[in-house]
Amino acid sequence: MTSLERFARVEVKSTWRMGDDLWIGTKIGLFKRVPGSDLMPIPGHLPVEIRGLGPSADGFLYIEADPAGDQIVMADAAGAVRRRLPGPKGEKLVSASALRGCILVATKTGLFREKEDGWERLYGGEDSIVTAVHELSDRISLFVKKQGVERKPALVESFDDGLTWQMTESDDYGDTIIAVSETSIVTKWRGARLRGSGKGGYKKHPITAAEFYAGSILVVDGDKIEIAGPGRRKMEVFHPRVAEAEQVHLVPDGLFVSGAQGTYLLDPLTGSLRDLAADVTATVPVGKRKKLFALDEGVVLAACTFGTFTSRDGGAHWVKSDAEWDVLDAEHAARGPNGEWYILCQRGVFVTRDNGGRIDYLKPKLPHGSRHFGEFRALAVGGNTLWLGTKAGLFAASIERPEHLAPVDAFGVKPVDALAIEGDRLLVALEEGGIYERPLAGGDLSRRSDVTLKEGVMIHDGGSLLLVDERGVSTPDQAATIPAIGGLHGCRVTASGTRILVWNGQEAWSKARGEAWVRVGAWPQGVRSVALLGAAALVTDRDSIGAVSLAAA
């Protein structure tokens, strides 16, 4: 066991409140928590992934992951299983509710209701992505992540048991619904507000969890839990472990927060944190080691669901970073002109100026009246500028003021898939097709290539620009894949110094500047992220991290 493993925690997928008690669905089974206790495993419910906890008329229900098809499980108030049934065929189940006795299940594509002869679709189709169903006292509420031509979020509700539906669409991509009540709504970038009121300004941190309880509204706002009580009463509590939490509850002994990082109890008076799953044991790997990045001086940064860490000895030992947010859902890293490293996550941009020791959140400040970025997708540094590709177009900030973002209108609001710097020019790959370029110093926009990337990356191999996506590796002027590695589909790429590595789930190819591609020998299966360290690499399949030689096959 490496020093990193002791930090790993069980991921929480959903929670359901029954009075002051909490039922907790995790990647390894069902747990319960009563005030004053840690997590208590429920026998017979381990080690199966459990998600989508919701109410039933006389207990609760949940979704149990099953390779043959997800199951819906009905339980009484004590947790005893009363009924088990398969969900709609071919659908991935995400949320369930049976408050009025009839089982409703939300899937990735819509909402279904159980009938005597099977399942009836009440809403949705292939053009909708649904994330949750909630039954309020007078309506059914659906949280829709993407719908319509512009793929914007929406709140969809029915007041007649699914016969008709009313849609309230978000103005901004990525401003998804977090929580609703009969009178209020919480969204990711606009926060909490009364239904029908003005939307207010954008939050500097994304809202990731919320609860309406006993006349109060709780929201997880970045690394802060904010409690707004009746009248003007308000309390704020900060802790790095809170950030990215997906569930929050006000309980008699504190503030319960959970998510990919585990389960914790935060004391709002002292700010102290108690790990509620420290003694949970598992027979399978817990937590995800999501991304590895090679920084300077041989340092590797590991972004995990349970924290962010650095290693200076090839992964033998790890040190926890002093991060403003413990959990960084990082996608890209780029070195700045002054030795700093920028780390891009979907929900924010971070910077470390000491090679991963301290990591700070860059709170975005947008010009008045500007559109919002919604979601970050691509990162490049060049021309003393931080370039950010988003779902709402290209944004930029000067290195001197990296928190002050501004949209680059030359690219409109089309989603950006990838960015790269080539000499004194910025290259932009748009989701809707084509690669464009313009001088870093500003100027006219021109079309470089008709090639379309599919959630890919543009990267230099020391000479030419490579396009890497699920179809393989090509160049902007070459529609076909590069012959030497033309059979490598579903691939990923990383580069460090003069070396570049391309791999997929079965094999890898490497090259140095000016040299030919060489197939790497003994490449492990299922690698998801790589950090290059000279003639070796650290790799992860998300369950573990190990070292691999880059010697030729």
Side-chain angles (χ1 to χ4, degrees):
M1 177 179 290
T2 69
S3 59
L4 183 64
E5 302 307 311
R6 67 188 180 91
F7 294 98
R9 291 294 178 267
V10 175
E11 297 178 63
V12 176
K13 307 300 290 185
S14 62
T15 58
W16 182 252
R17 180 177 198 136
M18 297 184 70
D20 290 330
D21 298 343
L22 295 173
W23 293 93
I24 301 151
T26 78
K27 287 280 287 185
I28 64 166
L30 183 66
F31 293 79
K32 186 178 181 181
R33 191 207 179 241
V34 299
S37 77
D38 289 348
L39 295 195
M40 299 179 291
I42 305 301
H45 297 272
L46 304 173
V48 179
E49 177 182 331
I50 290 174
R51 60 180 182 270
L53 284 155
S56 68
D58 56 355
F60 63 98
L61 76 169
Y62 57 84
I63 297 162
E64 185 178 278
D66 188 325
D70 293 343
Q71 300 280 313
I72 299 165
V73 180
M74 307 287 292
D76 63 21
V81 174
R82 295 190 295 107
R83 185 186 176 204
R84 187 184 298 269
L85 71 156
K89 189 175 181 179
E91 298 280 342
K92 181 175 181 180
L93 314 188
V94 295
S95 178
S97 182
L99 191 60
R100 297 172 178 84
C102 182
I103 298 177
L104 300 174
V105 58
T107 76
K108 286 286 188 178
T109 67
L111 179 71
F112 293 80
R113 176 169 57 197
E114 186 198 19
K115 299 185 71 175
E116 290 185 3
D117 58 349
W119 292 96
E120 171 192 20
R121 182 186 285 273
L122 295 181
Y123 178 83
E126 295 299 327
D127 61 343
S128 297
I129 298 179
V130 177
T131 59
V133 57
H134 291 276
E135 291 185 271
L136 302 178
S137 61
D138 60 346
R139 72 195 79 181
I140 303 170
S141 297
L142 291 180
F143 297 1
V144 182
K145 181 179 180 180
K146 297 179 182 178
Q147 54 74 44
V149 175
E150 296 182 323
R151 312 299 285 155
K152 289 183 177 179
L155 175 64
V156 179
E157 297 183 302
S158 175
F159 293 83
D160 52 15
D161 290 326
L163 185 63
T164 61
W165 296 90
Q166 300 175 12
M167 178 184 292
T168 304
E169 186 179 57
S170 171
D171 293 334
D172 304 293
Y173 179 93
D175 194 28
T176 51
I177 309 298
I178 302 298
V180 295
S181 71
E182 287 82 354
T183 60
S184 300
I185 183 173
V186 181
T187 64
K188 184 165 98 172
W189 288 110
R190 299 280 190 173
R193 60 186 181 275
L194 293 173
R195 288 177 180 258
S197 66
K199 295 181 180 179
Y202 297 115
K203 295 286 186 179
K204 291 183 174 61
H205 309 90
I207 307 297
T208 56
E211 179 187 55
F212 296 96
Y213 182 72
S216 298
I217 301 177
L218 287 75
V219 297
V220 175
D221 181 358
D223 59 346
K224 172 181 68 175
I225 297 180
E226 182 177 291
I227 309 170
R232 295 179 176 271
R233 290 184 298 166
K234 185 176 289 189
M235 174 182 285
E236 295 179 346
V237 187
F238 294 82
H239 198 284
R241 184 62 70 179
V242 165
E244 302 277 32
E246 296 178 340
Q247 300 91 27
V248 61
H249 298 283
L250 178 61
V251 291
D253 51 347
L255 297 168
F256 175 96
V257 291
S258 61
Q261 64 267 66
T263 52
Y264 302 90
L265 188 72
L266 183 62
D267 187 327
L269 299 179
T270 65
S272 61
L273 196 76
R274 174 178 157 198
D275 186 349
L276 299 177
D279 296 328
V280 171
T281 59
T283 58
V284 296
V286 296
K288 293 188 182 76
R289 298 119 190 94
K290 298 190 73 172
K291 285 284 186 178
L292 302 175
F293 300 100
L295 304 184
D296 295 326
E297 300 171 1
V299 172
V300 174
L301 182 79
C304 308
T305 53
F306 46 88
T308 307
F309 307 85
T310 57
S311 174
R312 295 178 176 272
D313 56 8
H317 301 88
W318 295 90
V319 175
K320 191 173 183 297
S321 297
D322 178 20
E324 190 170 345
W325 294 13
D326 270 5
V327 179
L328 301 183
D329 191 11
E331 293 293 332
H332 303 285
R335 195 178 192 275
N338 303 310
E340 75 277 25
W341 282 89
Y342 295 96
I343 302 167
L344 186 76
C345 305
Q346 281 193 4
R347 299 183 179 98
V349 184
F350 297 78
V351 65
T352 175
R353 295 182 171 87
D354 61 359
N355 222 19
R358 169 67 188 178
I359 303 174
D360 293 306
Y361 177 62
L362 297 176
K363 303 174 182 65
K365 298 176 176 63
L366 296 168
H368 180 71
S370 168
R371 67 177 183 270
H372 198 263
F373 47 81
E375 175 187 309
F376 292 117
R377 305 182 72 190
L379 170 68
V381 179
N384 207 42
T385 301
L386 186 66
W387 303 97
L388 300 165
T390 82
K391 289 292 288 189
L394 181 67
F395 284 70
S398 70
I399 293 299
E400 288 75 20
R401 304 176 72 200
E403 295 184 344
H404 293 263
L405 306 183
V408 181
D409 293 328
F411 295 92
V413 296
K414 295 179 180 179
V416 174
D417 242 8
L419 296 172
I421 305 297
E422 189 173 49
D424 61 354
R425 305 186 73 80
L426 173 71
L427 303 186
V428 182
L430 299 182
E431 182 183 87
E432 297 179 7
I435 298 173
Y436 295 80
E437 63 180 8
R438 58 164 270 182
L440 289 171
D444 294 336
L445 180 70
S446 61
R447 191 177 183 92
R448 167 75 174 269
S449 172
D450 292 333
V451 174
T452 299
L453 279 174
K454 293 185 177 181
E455 297 184 359
V457 175
M458 297 188 293
I459 195 165
H460 281 278
D461 70 349
S464 60
L465 182 75
L466 301 181
L467 311 180
V468 183
D469 65 11
E470 61 186 24
R471 298 164 299 182
V473 183
S474 62
T475 66
D477 304 317
Q478 180 183 354
T481 56
I482 292 174
I485 49 178
L488 194 65
H489 299 290
C491 56
R492 305 165 189 263
V493 63
T494 190
S496 180
T498 62
R499 182 173 291 276
I500 183 170
L501 179 83
V502 175
W503 79 95
N504 65 4
Q506 292 79 41
E507 58 181 322
W509 293 77
S510 175
K511 77 185 297 292
R513 187 190 304 269
E515 297 181 4
W517 288 98
V518 176
R519 188 173 183 271
V520 177
W523 186 252
Q525 301 291 295
V527 172
R528 303 292 294 273
S529 185
V530 177
L532 296 177
L533 297 172
L538 281 187
V539 303
T540 181
D541 59 1
R542 293 197 170 185
D543 287 338
S544 62
I545 297 175
V548 174
S549 169
L550 298 182

